[in-house]
C-alpha cells in the first residue's frame, strides 16, 4: 500500500538470494552467518565506507545509533506481549550460555531456535506469513526452567506462547473476520473493533489540499468510558523512552549534517518525534525530498503500514545509507526520462501525470538496518508516498546495491535454477542477464512505477481499503515489467541487447506461478501483499493467454512442472493490458474491481502444484527467507574527546548481535 514514506519493493526481492548465477566461486567476504528453520542469516559488506570523510562517517555513526534505539518500538507494535516474551527468553538464554542453567543439548537447541525466530520476526509471528510460530519445547518445561533459574514470568505469556488458538495471526486479511480484533498486532488497544476504528478515522479525516496522515503515528484505544481515543507516538507520549534516545542521537547527527537542507530534514524529524505533529511530518517529508546533494541519507520513523490491518499506522523502521556514486548513474538516467516513461505507458491518458516532477533516483549502500528493515529488509525504496507531496515536490527512489550483492554472493551454486528453470537455454540467459534485470526492474519499480499515474479528483488514497497494498505493488511491478521489455532500455544503454529482458520475464512468471509457493504452508491461502501481487500478475496473464497460440504455459516433464514462455513480446503485451486495468482501478478508486481481482487471482493456491514445488525445494536444503546482521561501528576518540575516526567490524554473530542490542538499546517498559 502506498503510504507516506516507504514502499517495499516487490519485484525480484523474494527469491533474489536463490535465483542468482550459479558460479561456485565466492568472494572472500563471509556472507553466510547462520541458518535455522526457513531462515538464513547473511552479512552485507559496506564498500567505500573507509573512503567517506570523517564528517560523513560520524554522521553515519550517530544516525545508526538513532536507528538502533527504535528496535523495542517495533517489537511492541507487532504484539503487546512481545517484549515480555523476548526478555524472559533472553534472561533464560543468558543463564544457559553462561552455564548458570543446565539443560540438555536438545533442549538448548530447541530453545535457542525459538529465540532466534523471535529476534528475526521482531515478535512471535512469522515475519512474512504473519502466522504465530510455536516453540518446540512445551509449556511445562518452560515453566520449570524459569522456576529453576529464578526468573519471574508473566502467567499471561503462557497461552500467548503455547496455545495455537490465541493470537494466531499478526495481521489478518481474511474475509468475514473483524480485521482489528482478528489481528494480534498492537496497533489498536484491546477491545477496539474494526468498525469503531474506521469510524474514528472517518470522523477525523483531513480533506485539505495538503492533508495530514491521520493515524500514522498513533494507537487507538478505549478509555474508561468505552470511547475511542488516540495515544500518539511522541516524546512524553507512547514510546517516549525510546523516542527520547532517538532524538538525542538525531541531535548529535544534526551537528555533522552535510548541508543546510539535510540539517532542516533532521531538525524536522526531531521536532516530529518531540511533538507528534503530523504537519511537522509533512514538512519533514518535503525537506527530505528536497535534499538531493547529501551523500549520506536516512529513513527513521513510523513508515510502512502493512502491519496495520487497516493500513493506516506506520511501523517503526530505519535505514542509514550513502550514495553509490558510480551505480547511481544508472538510476539517474531512468529518472531523467521519467516523463517519457509516463507518457508512453499503456494506461489511459486520463490517469497519467501531465508533468512528472522531481523524480530523483540513486543506488545506495546500506550502512545500518533497523526496526521493520531488520533483519529482513527491502532492496528498494520509493518515498515519500503522500500523493500531494509527490505531485508538488517529487520523490526519491533508491536501489540498495550492497544487499542485492550479498544475496547474489550467498546464492551462488545453490542448485535452484537447475531444478526449476525449464532448460539450459533459459538458465544461460538468466546466468548472463538475471542480475542486470533484477537491478533494473528494482529501479523501474521504485523510480517510475510507484511515482507514475494519478488519482482522479475526489478519489481517496484509502479507497481500495485492505487490497490497496496488493494493487499498488502490482501497479509498480507491472510498470517495471512492461518497460523491461522496451527497446528504449537498450537505446539508453541500460540493457545490453534486446534479448536480456527475457531473464526478467521468465523469473517473474516462474516466481509468481510456482516458486514463491515455497513460502506458503500446505493448505494455506496467500495473505501477504507482495506475494499476492506476484501471483495476481502471473495468474492473470496465464488466464489471458491466446488460446490458439499461447504466449506461455505450465508444462509437465517427467512428473515435474515447468514454465515455458513461447512469445516474450506477447507476454509484454499482456503485462501492458493488466497495467492499464490496475491503473484504472487505482485512479478511480474502484474497490469492487480491486476486491474481485485480488480474490480471483491472488489468494488461492493450486494445492497439487504446491505439494510438488515444496517437495522439489526441500531436496535443495535451502532457506526461502534471508535476513542480515549489521556491521558494528565503533568511534575512535582523540585526546579532546572528539571523534577522530569510525571503525567498522563485520565479525559479530547473529545471537551475539541481538543479545547486545537487547542489552544496550532497550529501555521501553514491558507493557506500553
Amino acid at each position: 500500500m502506498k503510504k507516506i514514506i516507504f514502499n517495499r519493493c516487490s519485484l525480484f526481492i523474494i527469491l533474489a538470494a536463490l535465483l542468482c548465477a550459479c558460479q561456485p566461486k565466492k568472494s572472500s567476504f563471509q556472507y553466510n552467518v547462520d541458518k535455522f528453520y526457513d531462515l538464513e542469516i547473511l552479512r552485507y559488506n559496506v564498500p567505500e565506507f573507509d573512503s567517506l570523510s570523517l564528517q560523513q562517517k560520524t554522521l553515519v555513526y550517530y544516525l545508526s545509533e538513532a536507528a538502533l534505539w527504535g528496535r523495542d518500538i517495533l517489537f511492541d507494535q507487532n504484539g503487546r506481549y512481545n517484549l515480555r516474551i523476548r526478555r524472559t527468553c533472553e534472561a533464560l538464554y543468558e543463564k544457559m550460555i553462561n552455564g548458570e542453567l543446565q539443560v540438555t543439548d536438545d533442549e538448548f537447541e530447541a530453545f535457542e531456535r525459538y529465540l532466534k525466530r523471535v529476534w528475526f520476526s521482531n515478535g512471535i509471528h512469522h515475519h512474512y506469513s504473519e502466522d504465530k510460530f510455536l516453540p518446540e519445547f512445551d509449556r511445562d518445561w518452560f515453566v520449570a526452567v524459569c522456576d529453576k533459574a529464578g526468573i519471574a514470568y508473566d502467567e499471561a505469556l503462557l497461552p500467548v506462547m503455547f496455545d495455537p488458538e490465541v493470537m494466531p495471526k499478526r495481521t489478518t486479511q481474511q474475509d468475514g473476520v473483524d480485521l482489528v480484533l482478528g489481528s494480534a498486532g498492537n496497533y489498536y488497544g484491546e477491545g477496539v473493533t474494526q468498525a469503531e476504528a474506521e469510524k474514528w478515522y472517518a470522523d477525523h479525516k483531513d480533506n485539505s489540499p495538503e492533508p495530514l496522515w491521520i493515524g500514522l503515528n498513533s494507537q487507538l484505544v478505549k478509555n474508561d468510558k468505552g470511547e475511542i481515543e488516540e495515544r500518539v507516538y511522541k516524546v512524553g507520549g507512547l514510546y517516549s523512552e525510546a523516542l527520547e534516545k532517538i532524538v538525542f542521537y538525531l541531535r548529535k547527527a544534526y551537528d555533522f549534517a552535510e548541508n543546510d537542507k539535510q540539517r532542516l530534514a533532521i531538525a524536522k524529524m526531531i521536532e516530529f518525534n518531540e511533538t507528534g505533529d503530523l504537519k511537522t511530518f509533512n514538512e519533514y517529508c518535503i525537506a527530505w525530498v528536497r535534499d538531493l546533494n547529501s551523500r549520506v541519507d536516512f529513513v527513521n520513523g513510523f513508515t510502512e503500514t502493512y502491519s496495520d490491518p487497516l493500513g493506516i499506522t506506520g511501523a517503526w523502521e530505519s535505514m542509514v545509507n550513502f550514495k553509490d556514486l558510480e551505480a547511481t548513474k544508472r538510476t539517474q538516467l531512468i529518472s531523467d526520462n521519467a516523463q517519457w516513461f509516463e507518457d508512453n505507458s499503456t494506461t489511459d491518458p486520463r490517469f497519467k501525470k501531465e508533468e512528472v516532477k522531481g523524480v530523483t533516483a540513486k543506488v545506495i549502500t546500506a550502512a545500518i538496518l533497523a526496526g521493520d528493515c531488520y533483519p529482513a529488509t527491502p532492496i528498494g525504496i520509493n518515498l515519500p508516498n503522500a500523493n500531494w507531496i509527490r505531485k508538488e515536490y517529487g520523490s526519491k527512489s533508491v536501489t540498495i546495491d550492497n544487499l542485492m550483492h550479498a544475496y547474489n554472493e550467498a546464492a551462488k551454486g545453490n542448485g535452484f535454477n537447475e531444478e526449476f528453470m525449464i532448460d539450459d537455454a533459459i538458465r544461460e540467459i538468466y546466468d548472463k542477464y538475471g542480475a542486470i534485470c533484477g537491478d533494473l526492474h528494482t529501479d523501474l519499480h521504485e523510480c517510475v512505477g510507484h511515482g507514475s499515474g494519478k488519482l482522479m479528483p475526489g478519489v481517496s488514497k484509502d479507497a481500495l481499503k485492505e487490497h490497496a497494498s496488493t494493487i499498488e505493488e502490482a501497479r509498480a511491478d507491472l510498470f517495471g515489467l512492461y518497460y523491461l521489455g522496451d527497446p528504449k532500455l537498450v537505446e539508453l544503454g541500460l540493457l545490453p541487447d534486446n534479448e536480456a529482458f527475457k531473464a526478467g520475464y521468465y523469473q517473474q512468471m516462474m516466481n509468481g506461478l510456482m516458486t514463491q509457493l515455497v513460502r506458503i504452508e500446505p493448505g494455506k491461502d496467500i495473505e501477504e501483499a507482495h506475494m499476492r501481487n506476484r501471483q495476481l500478475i502471473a495468474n492473470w496473464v496465464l488466464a489471458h493467454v491466446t488460446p490458439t497460440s499461447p504466449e506461455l504455459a505450465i508444462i509437465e516433464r517427467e512428473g515435474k512442472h515447468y514454465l515455458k514462455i513461447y512469445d516474450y513480446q506477447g507476454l509484454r503485451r499482456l503485462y501492458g493490458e493488466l497495467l492499464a486495468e490496475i491503473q484504472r482501478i487505482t485512479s478511480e478508486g474502484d474497490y469492487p474491481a480491486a476486491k474481485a481481482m485480488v480474490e480471483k487471482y491472488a489468494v488461492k493456491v493450486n494445492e497439487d502444484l504446491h505439494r510438488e514445488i515444496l517437495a522439489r525445494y526441500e531436496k535443495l536444503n535451502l532457506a526461502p527467507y534471508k535476513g542480515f546482521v549489521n556491521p558494528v561501528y565503533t568511534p575512535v576518540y582523540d585526546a579532546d574527546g572528539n571523534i577522530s575516526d569510525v571503525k567498522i567490524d563485520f565479525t559479530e554473530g547473529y545471537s551475539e548481535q541481538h543479545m547486545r542490542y537487547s542489552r544496550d538499546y532497550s529501555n521501553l517498559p514491558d507493557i506500553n
Side-chain angles (χ1 to χ4, degrees):
M1 187 170 185
K2 210 165 70 158
K3 296 301 181 188
I4 287 191
I5 265 213
F6 178 152
N7 272 296
R8 288 194 188 281
C9 169
S10 56
L11 43 128
F12 304 106
I13 301 175
I14 296 308
L15 294 176
L18 305 176
L19 290 170
C20 301
C22 299
Q23 306 286 335
K25 185 177 179 181
K26 291 189 178 183
S27 164
S28 59
F29 186 87
Q30 296 300 307
Y31 290 94
N32 303 86
V33 177
D34 201 352
K35 186 178 177 183
F36 47 94
Y37 280 100
D38 55 356
L39 306 170
E40 185 174 7
I41 308 301
L42 310 176
R43 61 170 46 94
Y44 57 93
N45 204 348
V46 188
E48 298 189 12
F49 177 76
D50 288 337
S51 70
L52 298 179
S53 69
L54 176 59
Q55 177 186 356
Q56 291 168 330
K57 286 183 180 180
T58 307
L59 179 60
V60 167
Y61 169 70
Y62 283 131
L63 289 174
S64 296
E65 290 294 292
L68 295 176
W69 273 104
R71 178 172 178 253
D72 278 359
I73 295 176
L74 184 67
F75 267 90
D76 195 74
Q77 287 183 305
N78 282 347
R80 62 179 56 90
Y81 295 95
N82 282 337
L83 285 174
R84 281 172 277 178
I85 291 171
R86 190 195 80 196
R87 287 166 174 167
T88 302
C89 289
E90 286 172 342
L92 285 171
Y93 185 67
E94 186 166 23
K95 286 184 177 293
M96 290 178 188
I97 61 178
N98 289 339
E100 300 175 49
L101 176 61
Q102 299 298 319
V103 296
T104 68
D105 289 346
D106 288 345
E107 290 169 337
F108 174 78
E109 290 170 5
F111 182 79
E112 184 181 45
R113 282 194 295 269
Y114 178 73
L115 181 54
K116 285 180 176 182
R117 297 183 79 185
V118 170
W119 286 330
F120 193 96
S121 296
N122 295 290
I124 63 171
H125 295 85
H126 192 280
H127 76 289
Y128 208 80
S129 73
E130 303 196 18
D131 294 322
K132 185 169 74 174
F133 49 83
L134 300 175
E136 295 173 82
F137 49 89
D138 63 30
R139 178 177 181 148
D140 291 341
W141 180 86
F142 180 74
V143 170
V145 294
C146 284
D147 291 341
K148 183 179 179 181
I151 293 174
Y153 62 89
D154 187 338
E155 287 281 349
L157 302 184
L158 299 180
V160 176
M161 289 177 65
F162 295 100
D163 188 338
E165 302 301 320
V166 176
M167 296 186 167
K169 195 80 173 178
R170 190 179 77 189
T171 310
T172 187
Q173 294 294 334
Q174 186 176 348
D175 286 341
V177 173
D178 186 300
L179 299 183
V180 173
L181 292 177
S183 298
N186 196 22
Y187 292 91
Y188 301 90
E190 294 188 73
V192 176
T193 68
Q194 178 180 348
E196 289 170 329
E198 288 178 336
K199 183 180 185 305
W200 190 92
Y201 288 131
D203 290 344
H204 292 79
K205 186 175 181 179
D206 183 358
N207 292 312
S208 66
E210 299 182 356
L212 307 180
W213 198 284
I214 304 299
L216 176 71
N217 63 327
S218 63
Q219 179 193 58
L220 296 187
V221 298
K222 285 187 175 180
N223 60 25
D224 294 339
K225 298 178 181 179
E227 301 166 332
I228 300 295
E229 60 183 35
E230 187 182 33
R231 299 178 69 201
V232 178
Y233 307 153
K234 65 175 182 176
V235 172
L238 188 53
Y239 303 137
S240 178
E241 297 86 349
L243 291 170
E244 288 169 26
K245 288 289 190 179
I246 292 169
V247 165
F248 175 84
Y249 282 104
L250 287 177
R251 290 190 184 281
K252 293 279 190 181
Y254 177 91
D255 293 335
F256 292 89
E258 296 181 66
N259 52 59
D260 288 341
K261 290 183 177 180
Q262 188 174 64
R263 270 186 285 275
L264 178 60
I266 294 174
K268 287 298 178 182
M269 178 51 67
I270 291 170
E271 183 181 349
F272 174 61
N273 283 327
E274 289 180 328
T275 65
D277 185 352
L278 290 167
K279 184 175 185 298
T280 302
F281 181 75
N282 284 347
E283 292 169 351
Y284 156 75
C285 289
I286 295 167
W288 183 88
V289 82
R290 283 174 162 173
D291 174 22
L292 303 178
N293 296 322
S294 300
R295 187 173 185 190
V296 176
D297 209 343
F298 73 104
V299 174
N300 183 301
F302 302 100
T303 308
E304 283 288 357
T305 64
Y306 299 111
S307 294
D308 176 358
L310 301 184
I312 301 294
T313 303
W316 194 91
E317 65 182 70
S318 185
M319 179 184 293
V320 183
N321 62 81
F322 57 89
K323 189 185 299 184
D324 181 327
L325 298 177
E326 183 60 32
T328 292
K329 295 175 182 177
R330 181 185 76 233
T331 52
Q332 188 59 49
L333 189 59
I334 292 173
S335 63
D336 288 345
N337 287 273
Q339 190 67 57
W340 184 91
F341 288 112
E342 181 77 358
D343 294 343
N344 288 277
S345 79
T346 58
T347 60
D348 190 303
R350 293 178 299 145
F351 309 140
K352 295 179 180 180
K353 289 180 177 176
E354 294 81 4
E355 182 181 2
V356 179
K357 292 184 180 180
V359 176
T360 60
K362 59 184 177 180
V363 178
I364 63 171
T365 296
I368 208 77
L369 310 171
D372 206 25
C373 288
Y374 171 85
T377 184
I379 55 168
I381 301 171
N382 178 268
L383 57 155
N385 288 342
N387 284 313
W388 71 270
I389 296 178
R390 300 170 70 86
K391 180 179 178 181
E392 296 298 325
Y393 300 97
S395 63
K396 286 184 187 177
S397 297
V398 302
T399 302
I400 311 170
D401 192 63
N402 61 327
L403 300 187
M404 283 294 292
H405 183 75
Y407 285 136
N408 295 348
E409 289 295 316
K412 288 181 177 178
N414 62 24
F416 187 91
N417 294 355
E418 287 79 0
E419 178 59 40
F420 289 105
M421 290 185 172
I422 191 167
D423 53 33
D424 288 341
I426 191 60
R427 284 190 288 270
E428 182 178 347
I429 290 175
Y430 192 84
D431 289 349
K432 189 174 182 180
Y433 300 120
I436 297 172
C437 286
D439 287 346
L440 190 53
H441 186 267
T442 303
D443 298 338
L444 291 165
H445 175 111
E446 300 295 350
C447 297
V448 286
H450 281 308
S452 65
K454 65 180 181 181
L455 301 181
M456 299 304 288
V459 175
S460 168
K461 60 180 174 55
D462 301 320
L464 302 184
K465 302 180 183 179
E466 71 273 16
H467 300 302
S469 297
T470 298
I471 294 297
E472 173 57 23
E473 291 303 322
R475 192 179 72 87
D477 254 8
L478 285 162
F479 200 94
L481 287 166
Y482 179 74
Y483 280 114
L484 195 62
D486 197 297
K488 180 74 170 181
L489 299 191
V490 178
E491 176 189 326
L492 292 173
L494 295 169
L495 284 179
D497 56 52
N498 289 319
E499 295 293 305
F501 79 97
K502 294 178 179 179
Y505 276 22
Y506 192 92
Q507 191 278 336
Q508 190 278 333
M509 286 300 300
M510 182 183 72
N511 191 17
L513 289 171
M514 299 170 60
T515 53
Q516 75 165 358
L517 295 179
V518 301
R519 294 178 164 221
I520 300 295
E521 294 182 15
K524 293 288 185 72
D525 290 341
I526 296 176
E527 294 195 46
E528 200 278 333
H530 297 84
M531 294 188 74
R532 283 186 170 188
N533 147 49
R534 284 184 291 276
Q535 180 165 286
L536 186 158
I537 292 172
N539 276 350
W540 187 96
V541 166
L542 188 62
H544 288 78
V545 296
T546 307
T548 56
S549 180
E551 290 81 4
L552 56 90
I554 294 179
I555 64 172
E556 184 177 357
R557 288 183 180 175
E558 300 179 353
K560 296 180 179 181
H561 289 85
Y562 299 90
L563 170 68
K564 177 69 175 179
I565 298 179
Y566 302 100
D567 180 359
Y568 282 89
Q569 285 302 326
L571 174 56
R572 181 175 185 247
R573 174 184 56 78
L574 290 170
Y575 284 148
E577 290 178 9
L578 182 56
L579 172 61
E581 175 60 7
I582 292 287
Q583 183 63 63
R584 183 200 67 77
I585 290 171
T586 300
S587 294
E588 294 183 346
D590 189 346
Y591 174 76
K595 185 175 188 293
M597 183 168 286
V598 170
E599 290 179 352
K600 184 174 182 178
Y601 297 110
V603 178
K604 296 298 180 181
V605 173
N606 182 317
E607 294 184 3
D608 292 336
L609 181 61
H610 190 196
R611 282 191 292 270
E612 176 196 319
I613 296 298
L614 289 175
R616 292 164 65 183
Y617 187 78
E618 185 178 9
K619 294 178 181 179
L620 299 176
N621 192 32
L622 300 176
Y625 301 100
K626 313 292 183 188
F628 292 97
V629 293
N630 282 318
V632 179
Y633 296 95
T634 304
V636 178
Y637 295 94
D638 61 21
D640 297 322
N642 299 313
I643 293 178
S644 59
D645 197 6
V646 178
K647 299 296 184 182
I648 185 170
D649 180 78
F650 299 100
T651 61
E652 190 167 44
Y654 177 71
S655 297
E656 292 81 2
Q657 181 155 105
H658 282 277
M659 289 296 284
R660 179 172 66 86
Y661 284 175
S662 293
R663 182 181 67 248
D664 295 348
Y665 300 98
S666 182
N667 68 348
L668 286 185
D670 285 345
I671 302 174
N672 294 277

